[in-house]
Amino acid sequence: MKRLTIRARLTLVYGGLLLLAGVVLLAVTYVLVDQRMREPLTGVRAQVVQNPFGALPGVGAADQLRILIQEAQDEAKRNALESLLTQGGVALLLISVVALGFGWLIAGRALQPLHQITGTARRIAAADAGGRGLHERIALRGPRDEVRELADTFDLMLERLDRSFDGQRRFVANASHELRTPLALNRSLLEVAMSRPGASAELRQLGETLMAVNERHERLIDGLLTLADSEQRVVDRTPVDLAEIAGHLLDQVAGTPALTVRRRLRPATAAGDPVLLERLTQNLVENAVRHNLPAGGEIDVSTGTVDGRATLVVVNTGPVVPSYEIETIFQPFRRLRHDRVAAPRCNGAPDRAGAGRGFGLGLSIVRAVAQAHGGTVHAQPREGGGLVVTVSLPSLVGAVPGHLARAVPAPARG
C-alpha cells in the first residue's frame, strides 16, 4: 500500500482539525439553542394558565390552549434544530472542502524548503561517486528556523566533503607527478647501462627485470593520473566516434594467440574528450583480453546508438564472476582473483591489487571517465563465465561526419 506524502498528511490534519472543531461548535450551538428555545414559551404558558380572569371561557379552553402552545413550541423547536443541523452541516462541509484546499497550499508552501533540500541532495547523489557534485549548496533563504538550520548544517557538511574530495584528488595528482620524474630517470639509467658494449648477460637480464618493474610502476602512476583527471567534469566536448576508437584498439589485439576477436561496430558519436574516451575503451578491451589469458578465449565488442545515446558493449569469456562482486571490480585497487592458475580466494573476498596482472584501476577509470561525461557503466556476469560491460554516453548523432571524429592517441608516459 502506497503511503501518503507528508503534504497530503498535513492537509488531512489541517482539514480534520477544522472539521472536528466545526462539529464540536455545531454540537454546542445545538445544545444551547435547544435549551434557550424552551424558556420564553414556557413562561407564556404559565401566564396563560395562572390568569383566571382572561378571555378564556373556562378551564377546558385553557387546557386546549396550553396544548396548542406546547405543540407550537415543539414544532418551532424541531424546525429550528433541524434547520440548524441541516444548514450548519452543509456549511461545515463546504468550509471543510475549502479548508482542505487552503491546507494543501499551505502545506506545500511550508514544505518548499524541504523540497529544495531534497532536490539539491538528489542532484549531488546523481552526479557521481567521485565528489564532483559537492560544489552545490542549498543556500536557503528566509527566517532562521529549524528548516533553515537544517539547510545550513547540510551546506556545511557539503563544504567539508568538497574540500576533502578536492584535497584527495590534488594529493593523488601531485604525488603521481612527483613520482613520474624518478621513474623516468630510472628508466634512462637502465637503458644506458644495458646499452654499454661491455655489459654482461647477467647485467642485461637484471636490467630487463628492473625495466619491467619500472614499467609496471609507470603504468600505475599513469593510471592514477588518469583517474584523478577523469574525476573532473568534462566541459570542452568534441564529437568522438566510439566505433573508430574501438576498431583501432581491436586491430592492435587481433593478433593475440588463441584469442578470438569479434566486432560489430556501428557509428556511435559521443560528445566528450577524445583522450579520455580512448582510455575508457582501451581499458575495457585490455580488461577483456587480460581475463582470457593465458588459455585464450573470445571477446566481442559492439558499438551503436541506443535510445539516443552512444553505447559501447564489451563482452569477454573467462572465469565466472559472482554477481555480488560486480560492484567490487569498479573500486580502485580492488580486483578479483579469478586467474585460472591463481590460488583460491580466502573466504571469497576480493583481492587487493598486488603481484598480479593488474592494479585494479582499469574499470575504476572506466567508471570515472563515463561519469565525467554524464554517462553510465553497467556490468553483469556473462552466462558461462566472463563479463558483459555496457557503457552509455550522451550521443552527438549527425553533428559531424564520422571521418572527422577521429580518436586522439592517449598521452605518452614520460
Side-chain angles (χ1 to χ4, degrees), residues 3-204:
R3 298 186 59 184
L4 295 176
T5 62
I6 296 181
R7 185 178 186 182
R9 293 200 293 268
L10 287 176
T11 303
L12 292 179
V13 169
Y14 297 155
L17 289 176
L18 179 62
L19 181 61
L20 179 61
V23 170
V24 173
L25 179 61
L26 184 61
V28 172
T29 305
Y30 182 90
V31 174
L32 294 177
V33 171
D34 182 31
Q35 293 178 353
R36 182 61 181 170
M37 289 187 66
R38 294 181 180 181
E39 298 178 358
L41 294 179
T42 302
V44 172
R45 181 188 64 183
Q47 292 178 4
V48 172
V49 173
Q50 294 175 2
N51 184 11
F53 303 102
L56 297 177
V59 177
D63 291 338
Q64 293 179 1
L65 180 59
R66 180 175 58 82
I67 294 173
L68 292 176
I69 293 175
Q70 182 67 40
E71 291 178 353
Q73 178 187 11
D74 294 340
E75 182 68 21
K77 175 184 175 181
R78 183 168 53 254
N79 292 336
L81 293 179
E82 288 180 357
S83 177
L84 175 64
L85 289 178
T86 303
Q87 298 180 10
V90 172
L92 181 59
L93 290 178
L94 293 177
I95 293 176
S96 299
V97 172
V98 175
L100 287 175
F102 277 104
W104 178 264
L105 296 177
I106 294 173
R109 184 64 178 268
L111 293 175
Q112 187 63 34
L114 293 181
H115 292 324
Q116 185 177 347
I117 296 174
T118 303
T120 303
R122 184 179 291 114
R123 287 192 301 271
I124 294 174
D128 51 66
R132 285 188 292 271
L134 295 176
H135 65 279
E136 287 200 48
R137 297 294 181 270
I138 300 175
L140 187 64
R141 299 180 182 275
R144 185 167 292 278
D145 52 10
E146 291 82 356
V147 179
R148 172 72 179 276
E149 291 180 0
L150 174 63
D152 292 344
T153 304
F154 193 77
D155 284 341
L156 180 61
M157 180 189 67
L158 290 177
E159 184 178 356
R160 292 180 177 178
L161 287 176
D162 193 17
R163 287 201 302 263
S164 176
F165 275 98
D166 188 56
Q168 182 181 8
R169 284 192 293 266
R170 285 200 306 268
F171 172 78
V172 172
N174 294 336
S176 301
H177 278 293
E178 291 297 327
L179 289 174
R180 293 180 73 174
T181 301
L183 289 176
L185 180 60
N186 289 343
R187 186 176 68 250
S188 300
L189 294 176
L190 289 173
E191 290 175 351
V192 171
M194 293 172 59
S195 62
R196 290 180 179 176
S200 62
E202 291 80 3
L203 179 60
R204 293 181 182 275

Side-chain angles (χ1 to χ4, degrees), residues 183 186-191 193-194 202-218:
L183 289 176
N186 289 343
R187 186 176 68 250
S188 300
L189 294 176
L190 289 173
E191 290 175 351
M194 293 172 59
E202 291 80 3
L203 179 60
R204 293 181 182 275
Q205 183 178 3
L206 177 61
E208 292 176 357
T209 303
L210 293 177
M211 284 285 290
V213 173
N214 197 81
E215 184 179 359
R216 176 179 174 82
H217 291 163
E218 288 180 345

Side-chain angles (χ1 to χ4, degrees), residues 302-345:
S302 59
T303 60
T305 302
V306 179
D307 296 332
R309 295 175 67 88
T311 304
L312 169 66
V313 181
V314 179
V315 183
N316 63 269
T317 57
V320 176
V321 180
S323 58
Y324 58 83
E325 290 185 344
I326 289 296
E327 185 62 26
T328 304
I329 62 180
F330 288 101
Q331 299 177 6
F333 298 105
R334 304 285 286 189
R335 59 183 178 83
L336 298 177
R337 291 186 57 186
H338 53 211
D339 299 322
R340 290 182 172 90
V341 191
R345 288 173 289 144

Side-chain angles (χ1 to χ4, degrees), residues 167-299:
Q168 182 181 8
R169 284 192 293 266
R170 285 200 306 268
F171 172 78
V172 172
N174 294 336
S176 301
H177 278 293
E178 291 297 327
L179 289 174
R180 293 180 73 174
T181 301
L183 289 176
L185 180 60
N186 289 343
R187 186 176 68 250
S188 300
L189 294 176
L190 289 173
E191 290 175 351
V192 171
M194 293 172 59
S195 62
R196 290 180 179 176
S200 62
E202 291 80 3
L203 179 60
R204 293 181 182 275
Q205 183 178 3
L206 177 61
E208 292 176 357
T209 303
L210 293 177
M211 284 285 290
V213 173
N214 197 81
E215 184 179 359
R216 176 179 174 82
H217 291 163
E218 288 180 345
R219 292 201 309 270
L220 173 60
I221 299 303
D222 187 51
L224 289 173
L225 282 174
T226 304
L227 183 59
D229 292 339
S230 60
E231 285 185 344
Q232 302 295 329
R233 179 69 63 178
V234 176
V235 179
D236 298 330
R237 299 170 181 253
T238 58
V240 181
D241 192 354
L242 297 180
E244 295 193 14
I245 296 178
H248 172 70
L249 295 173
L250 290 177
D251 290 340
Q252 299 178 3
V253 302
T256 305
L259 181 65
T260 303
V261 179
R262 293 188 174 91
R263 63 181 75 189
R264 292 172 294 171
L265 305 180
R266 298 178 180 177
T269 305
D273 183 271
V275 176
L276 292 178
L277 291 180
E278 182 174 12
R279 186 57 183 267
L280 177 149
T281 309
Q282 179 182 357
N283 284 5
L284 287 178
V285 172
E286 289 180 351
N287 181 76
V289 173
R290 183 184 303 115
H291 291 85
N292 277 293
L293 298 178
E298 300 178 359
I299 64 173

